[in-house]
Amino acid sequence: MKKQSGASIIAIVFAVAAAGAGAFAFVQYRELGHARAELSSTKATLDKANADLRTAKNELDKVRREADELKAASDQLRADRDSAKALLEAEKAHGERVRAELTLAQQQIAFLRSRAPSAAQFAPPMAISPQPTGIRVVPAPRPLGAGAPMQARPAPAPGQ
């Protein structure tokens, strides 16, 4: 009976061990299922975050392009403003020069009027016709070298 009882104890121990191993395996399998579900949920969250990141990156690129365009437009407007400012200053300087020339011309006219005799002292204007004068014949000038006779050149020989 000892043999039987020893075998039954071993069988019970094996049965308890098998039951424990089965329970352990069941618990591990359940935890694995929870881990897989959590992994799947985390992966879905990661995919959503990556999609959101791509969208945000595309929007950032659009905003950067718009910022670059606005900066270029701002630079162009600044250059136009500076050009207009320089033109305005040049026009102001030109206006001052014209005003000074006008003032000088007015002063000169006033000075000439103060020094000019009155109009009553002059005779009224009238047309003057010129009197014809006599026409004289003058000998034509001689060209240079006209006084020396031309030297004769020898005639070319036949066949040359």
Side-chain angles (χ1 to χ4, degrees), residues 108-124:
Q108 289 173 346
I109 289 171
F111 177 73
L112 290 175
R113 281 185 182 157
S114 69
R115 296 202 34 144
S118 67
Q121 292 177 354
F122 293 109

Side-chain angles (χ1 to χ4, degrees), residues 50-139:
N50 282 337
D52 291 345
L53 178 64
R54 271 187 248 109
T55 303
K57 188 175 181 183
N58 290 340
E59 289 177 13
L60 178 64
D61 289 342
K62 287 179 187 176
V63 169
R64 281 184 180 160
R65 281 192 297 271
E66 288 176 11
D68 290 342
E69 290 171 2
L70 289 175
K71 184 178 183 293
S74 172
D75 291 343
Q76 180 64 39
L77 289 173
R78 192 173 293 119
D80 290 347
R81 180 205 62 201
D82 293 344
S83 174
K85 184 178 178 182
L87 178 65
L88 181 63
E89 290 174 1
E91 287 299 321
K92 282 181 181 178
H94 179 70
E96 288 295 322
R97 282 192 304 272
V98 168
R99 198 172 295 114
E101 288 176 10
L102 178 62
T103 303
L104 179 64
Q106 288 173 342
Q107 290 172 353
Q108 289 173 346
I109 289 171
F111 177 73
L112 290 175
R113 281 185 182 157
S114 69
R115 296 202 34 144
S118 67
Q121 292 177 354
F122 293 109
M126 65 175 143
I128 298 175
S129 59
Q131 297 295 327
T133 59
I135 299 176
R136 294 182 293 165
V137 177
V138 179

